Amino acid sequence: MTILKKYKILFIIAVCVIGAICAYLVYAHGHYADRVPPGTYLAGEDVSGFTESEARLAGQKIYDSIVMDLTLRNESGVASVPAITQTLTVDDIGIRFEADMTAQAAINAASNEWFITRVNPFVKKFIGLSVIVDDEVITKKITSYFGDALFKSKLPKVKYSKKGKTFNVTPGVVGTTLDMNRFIMEVKAGTFRAGTSQYDVYLNPLHPEISDEAADEARDLANRAIKTKISFEKNDQVAYKAGTNSKASWVTFTADKETGKYEVGIDTDKVMKFLKTTASSQLVEEPLPELVVREIDMESAVKEANEKAKQDSEKDKEEEKDKKTSNKKSDQDKDVKSTSKEDDGKSTRNDGSDDAPAKDVKVTTPAPKAARVVREGEEGFAISNRQQLADRIEESMLSGKNIKLTPEYETIPYETEEIGPDFGKWIETNLSKQVTYLWEGNKKIKTYIVSTGKNVTPTITGTYKIYMKRDHHDMKGYDPIKKEKYVQPDVRYISYFEGAYAYHAAYWHNAFGTQVSHGCINMKIAEAQFLYDWAPTGTTCIIHY
């Protein structure tokens, strides 16, 4: 074959190929105008030549067939996390399929390329599914599926031990959290394909906002604060020292998560309360009310009531006399005669006599005597500069410097309380008179001559309450005169009111009315028995000179 003939054959072939290409291009221009161009793969599936609706259905089918195997990868360092694997669909985790967008993307595949490239079946074009990934929704969904692996972190705690009198730290607890940013990025960057795809969900440690080291620093500051010596002076002497437990109760810890530290402070309100209660019991004196009693005076009451009854009787007679005068007949010639008549067995005297006796009077409310003081009142004292003291205590504890405080006081006047009928049972002992009175309200029911303590063993004065009663008991003590211990066997009817001080029967002497006891109040046997039976536990006892 000659060279010319060969060129003719090649020319014919070229013309045919070009013709075929041109014919294809003409065909493709019309056929693929609204179809998916050839060589297009949607999520790995060939969708060449699909119409828009066919591409939409193909995309939906692929979406429905996608399965995600999610495996939890524990990178938190928490050993107690369980191994979790979840098999889910994309819909299960909140990824929504956009069918229209997917179909349009398939039809417009390579639309920005040359036309010949777009319709070239040998140039492959890969299109992914169009989906909407909502970060918030997917995070919520994934968290719900892997919730068993999530643990909250716990802040370290600084606690005070009363036994050890020191603050200690309970370490914080590391929690776990899902690395959702990493997972969402992988989901968005990946190409969804029909079938099963493998994805990892990473578990990261969730450290407390405040570290154990920061808690240790707060503990050290708190321990320094409670070691600060805080003393209160009264009359130039140390009267009271704040205890460690009290100081520890004032310390506060505020978690500052922005700085990652505990702020150590002092609760001045609690310090103020301490100054008003605990410290006040040592530093201040409550006012002691003055007690007075108005004893019922039966003699004066009867006299006053009879006098009133006499006045009422005279008034009645005057009114009767005036009535008779107004009813007198006008006839002056008619003799005035005294008349008498009986009516229901009663007689009426009309002679105007003033000698009619007063009616008998029954006294039901006797008049009281003048008030008598049975206990002198005493003024009290209260701390007046509590706020200033609280502020200085706060400054001292936070700086770790010892401090001596001198409270300022204000006087609290005492009140006068009158013992009335509702006061109940109470006992009064007058040491000067060597007399004990039993009272029910303001009514004196018994008066007993007693024997109280000698000068070397005096009976205490003050207001007390009976706290224990013994029918009989061996009483022991020490005699400072004889300088020896003594035992008084089988003492009867004992009513203790303060320590070993008591009202009790004394069978070993009859010197009542004189000071002969070791401090107790001696009574005759029958009288001690009456007091013992009459006065219950809790009965008030007022002892004075």
Side-chain angles (χ1 to χ4, degrees), residues 451 506-512 524:
S451 290
Y507 60 83
W508 53 91
H509 74 80
N510 196 32
F512 298 102
K524 295 177 182 178

Side-chain angles (χ1 to χ4, degrees), residues 248-269:
S249 69
W250 309 334
V251 178
T252 62
F253 300 92
T254 304
D256 188 340
K257 295 181 180 179
E258 291 185 3
T259 61
K261 293 183 178 181
Y262 275 119
E263 296 293 336
V264 180
I266 302 298
D267 190 334
T268 54
D269 288 339

Side-chain angles (χ1 to χ4, degrees), residues 274-286:
F274 166 82
L275 293 172
K276 189 176 181 180
T277 55
T278 307
S280 292
S281 65
Q282 303 293 327
L283 299 173
V284 306
E285 297 177 7
E286 295 292 332

Side-chain angles (χ1 to χ4, degrees), residues 102 278 455:
T102 300
T278 307
N455 291 335

Side-chain angles (χ1 to χ4, degrees), residues 462-537:
T463 302
Y464 309 97
K465 290 184 181 293
I466 293 176
Y467 70 89
M468 184 174 66
K469 298 167 67 174
R470 301 289 292 270
D471 179 80
H472 63 278
H473 189 63
D474 293 345
M475 300 190 74
K476 303 175 182 179
Y478 179 78
D479 191 325
I481 298 177
K482 296 180 180 181
K483 296 182 179 180
E484 63 182 12
K485 296 180 180 180
Y486 68 87
V487 176
Q488 193 68 48
D490 200 26
V491 179
R492 299 298 305 276
Y493 310 120
I494 309 168
S495 298
Y496 290 99
F497 57 84
E498 177 68 14
Y501 292 93
Y503 292 94
H504 62 75
Y507 60 83
W508 53 91
H509 74 80
N510 196 32
F512 298 102
T514 59
Q515 297 174 239
V516 299
S517 80
H518 292 98
C520 288
I521 300 173
N522 292 180
M523 305 179 70
K524 295 177 182 178
I525 296 175
E527 295 171 352
Q529 182 180 8
F530 182 88
L531 183 150
Y532 181 87
D533 295 334
W534 172 83
T537 301

Side-chain angles (χ1 to χ4, degrees), residues 370-436:
R372 177 174 65 86
V373 177
V374 295
R375 185 181 71 190
E376 297 289 342
E378 296 180 3
E379 291 182 335
F381 301 94
I383 299 175
S384 61
N385 62 333
R386 288 198 298 270
Q387 184 63 60
Q388 179 187 4
L389 295 176
D391 292 341
R392 293 189 62 190
I393 287 172
E394 178 185 22
E395 180 182 354
S396 170
M397 292 183 66
L398 293 179
S399 64
K401 296 179 180 179
N402 300 337
I403 189 172
K404 290 184 179 180
L405 301 168
T406 303
E408 296 176 5
Y409 295 95
E410 59 184 355
T411 302
I412 304 176
Y414 64 80
E415 297 179 351
T416 298
E417 296 180 2
E418 183 171 322
I419 297 175
D422 298 330
F423 190 80
K425 296 180 178 181
W426 60 287
I427 304 168
E428 178 190 3
T429 297
N430 189 314
L431 300 179
S432 300
K433 295 181 179 181
Q434 294 290 288
V435 175
T436 289

